[in-house]
């Protein structure tokens, strides 16, 4: 799915991104037709309620992660009387769906999270040679990404070449978990060696691990996640259509958040999508106090600000529990404080009376 992220070309041009966005939108429209505009989070929530009815349940409990937090919040807003205990983990701000969610938060999210991996790399400078501190490792990474933007490197045994976009995509993916940070540091070293023609057998092993294919689920098309990501992202809310505006915002974003190279503000296929079938659902407060929002302080995929925004939208019906941790996953990631609150809601239905910030993380 990360291949959908539109990184600009070397130097910042979005010309190829514009052509690809237009082609992707046309292919989706030609394949699905007019029904494409009905693939939305609101309709997914309505499907969920049909399942509830079919099961004969008065209410449903729900645990949503990442995009699932937005789906849960939309379900709650549409079917408040049918919502029981709800846990939302790694959160989307429902007031920024979707162009603003990407453009406004991803740059800061990466900037907050990247130093965790840079520190891992710096601690191994004697072998990795990427830098002795966060600033040096960051400079090495940015220089490497720019080099690969201009001259992609062949990956031994792979059918694709390593360019700047693929380097950034893999970095984004490996930042989602704390236990993959050492792998990420070694991946940077292998990529750097690759660009200098000095890759070792150890580098080849790391590259093989990083680019190993993930087995697909039986009966589910391999591109299912990517296509639904695009359909929902483009179908929930209308995106800007002005190409020049995308170019301007991309250049500014690229300067402000160099780790993302301007990608979050760039043009997506959504710029060429049909107008959504209905207005974006407004997530509203009210109802019983039974929603637990779990949020890591340094989440590169759904940054801290998303959790804060969701808590504000849901109001007194929710409790916010943040944790001094990195990555995209919160529960069972080393904080007994977080885990206790979560289990407490599931077993007793009780939430903390005020917001909590956990600082007891022990890395696995």
């Amino acid at each position: 799915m990360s291949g959908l992220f539109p990184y600009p070309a070397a130097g910042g041009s979005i010309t190829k991104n514009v052509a690809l966005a237009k082609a992707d939108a046309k292919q989706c429209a030609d394949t699905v037709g007019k029904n494409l505009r009905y693939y939305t989070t609101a309709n997914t929530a309505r499907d969920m309620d049909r399942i509830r009815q079919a099961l004969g349940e008065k209410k449903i409990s729900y645990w949503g992660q990442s995009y699932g937090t937005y789906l849960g919040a939309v379900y709650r807003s549409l079917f408040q009387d049918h919502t029981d205990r709800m846990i939302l983990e790694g959160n989307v701000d429902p007031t920024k769906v979707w162009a603003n969610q990407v453009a406004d938060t991803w740059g800061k999210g990466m900037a907050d999270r990247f130093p965790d991996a840079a520190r891992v790399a710096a601690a191994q400078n004697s072998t990795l040679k990427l830098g002795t501190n966060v600033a040096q490792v960051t400079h090495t990474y940015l220089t490497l990404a720019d080099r690969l933007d201009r001259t992609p490197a062949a990956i031994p045994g792979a059918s694709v070449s390593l360019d700047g976009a693929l380097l950034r995509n893999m970095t984004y993916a490996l930042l989602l978990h704390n236990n993959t940070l050492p792998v990420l540091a070694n991946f940077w070293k292998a990529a750097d060696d690759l660009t200098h023609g000095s890759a070792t057998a150890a580098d080849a092993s790391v590259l093989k691990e990083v680019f190993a294919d993930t087995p697909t689920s039986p009966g589910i098309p391999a591109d299912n996640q990517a296509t639904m990501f695009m359909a929902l992202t483009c179908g929930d809310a209308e995106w800007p259509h002005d190409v020049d505006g995308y170019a301007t915002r991309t250049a500014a974003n690229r300067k402000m958040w160099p780790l993302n190279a301007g990608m979050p503000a760039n043009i997506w296929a959504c710029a060429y999508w049909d107008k959504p079938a209905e207005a974006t659902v407004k997530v509203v407060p009210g109802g019983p106090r039974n929603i637990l929002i779990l949020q890591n302080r340094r989440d590169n995929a759904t940054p801290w600000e998303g959790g804060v925004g969701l808590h504000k939208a849901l109001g007194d019906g929710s409790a916010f529990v943040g944790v001094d941790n990195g990555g995209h996953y919160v529960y069972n990631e080393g904080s007994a404080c977080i885990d206790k609150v979560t289990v407490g809601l599931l077993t007793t239905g009780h939430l903390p009376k005020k917001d909590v910030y956990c600082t007891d993380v022990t890395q696995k």
Side-chain angles (χ1 to χ4, degrees), residues 78-110:
L78 293 176
F79 303 101
Q80 200 168 85
D81 293 340
H82 298 304
T83 304
D84 201 355
R85 302 167 195 181
M86 182 173 283
I87 297 171
L88 305 177
E89 174 188 23
N91 300 275
V92 170
D93 184 340
T95 69
K96 292 180 175 290
V97 174
W98 283 106
N100 290 336
Q101 174 74 24
V102 176
D104 292 352
T105 68
W106 278 12
K108 186 175 185 301
M110 177 63 81

Side-chain angles (χ1 to χ4, degrees), residues 24 30 87 159 238-239 266-267 305 317 327:
D24 284 347
D30 290 347
I87 297 171
S159 58
E238 190 169 10
W239 286 55
N266 202 353
I267 192 166
E305 289 74 16

Side-chain angles (χ1 to χ4, degrees), residues 271-341:
Y272 297 99
W273 221 254
D274 284 348
K275 187 175 181 178
E278 61 181 310
T280 305
V281 173
K282 181 176 176 60
V283 171
V284 295
R289 192 168 185 271
N290 57 5
I291 304 176
L292 177 61
I293 297 174
L294 306 179
Q295 183 66 48
N296 279 337
R297 190 65 186 85
R298 301 179 304 283
D299 180 344
N300 58 299
T302 51
W304 176 264
E305 289 74 16
V308 173
L310 179 58
H311 184 35
K312 181 178 180 181
L314 290 170
D316 292 339
S318 64
F320 182 89
V321 182
V323 58
D324 183 18
N325 202 3
H328 195 35
Y329 302 87
V330 186
Y331 176 74
N332 197 30
E333 290 294 328
S335 170
C337 165
I338 279 280
D339 295 351
K340 182 179 179 180
V341 174

Side-chain angles (χ1 to χ4, degrees), residues 133-318:
N133 55 47
V134 170
Q136 289 181 5
V137 173
T138 302
H139 176 75
T140 298
Y141 175 81
L142 291 173
T143 302
L144 172 62
D146 182 70
R147 190 184 312 135
L148 286 169
D149 278 338
R150 300 175 190 284
T151 309
I155 304 171
S159 58
V160 297
S161 294
L162 180 60
D163 59 10
L166 186 53
L167 175 81
R168 297 182 186 97
N169 281 336
M170 298 312 302
T171 296
Y172 171 91
L174 291 170
L175 285 172
L176 297 177
H177 302 269
N178 284 324
N179 62 2
T180 54
L181 297 186
V183 176
L184 177 55
N186 281 283
F187 169 58
W188 291 338
K189 188 261 186 186
D192 197 54
D193 287 349
L194 205 61
T195 64
H196 289 105
S198 57
T200 65
D203 291 333
S205 179
V206 170
L207 293 169
K208 183 178 180 180
E209 177 184 0
V210 169
F211 291 107
D213 291 332
T214 302
T216 58
S217 301
I220 299 178
D223 66 351
N224 184 71
Q225 185 179 11
T227 55
M228 288 311 303
F229 169 82
M230 185 180 292
L232 294 168
T233 301
C234 299
D236 280 342
E238 190 169 10
W239 286 55
H241 303 287
D242 177 22
V243 172
D244 289 340
Y246 280 106
T248 299
R249 289 188 294 273
T250 299
N253 190 277
R254 185 179 176 88
K255 183 176 181 180
M256 181 175 291
W257 308 111
L259 288 167
N260 285 84
M263 177 275 292
N266 202 353
I267 192 166
W268 296 49
C270 308
Y272 297 99
W273 221 254
D274 284 348
K275 187 175 181 178
E278 61 181 310
T280 305
V281 173
K282 181 176 176 60
V283 171
V284 295
R289 192 168 185 271
N290 57 5
I291 304 176
L292 177 61
I293 297 174
L294 306 179
Q295 183 66 48
N296 279 337
R297 190 65 186 85
R298 301 179 304 283
D299 180 344
N300 58 299
T302 51
W304 176 264
E305 289 74 16
V308 173
L310 179 58
H311 184 35
K312 181 178 180 181
L314 290 170
D316 292 339
S318 64

Side-chain angles (χ1 to χ4, degrees), residues 10-27:
S13 170
I14 71 166
T15 301
K16 290 184 178 180
N17 301 124
V18 172
L20 182 60
K22 188 180 296 186
D24 284 347
K26 183 178 186 304
Q27 182 178 358

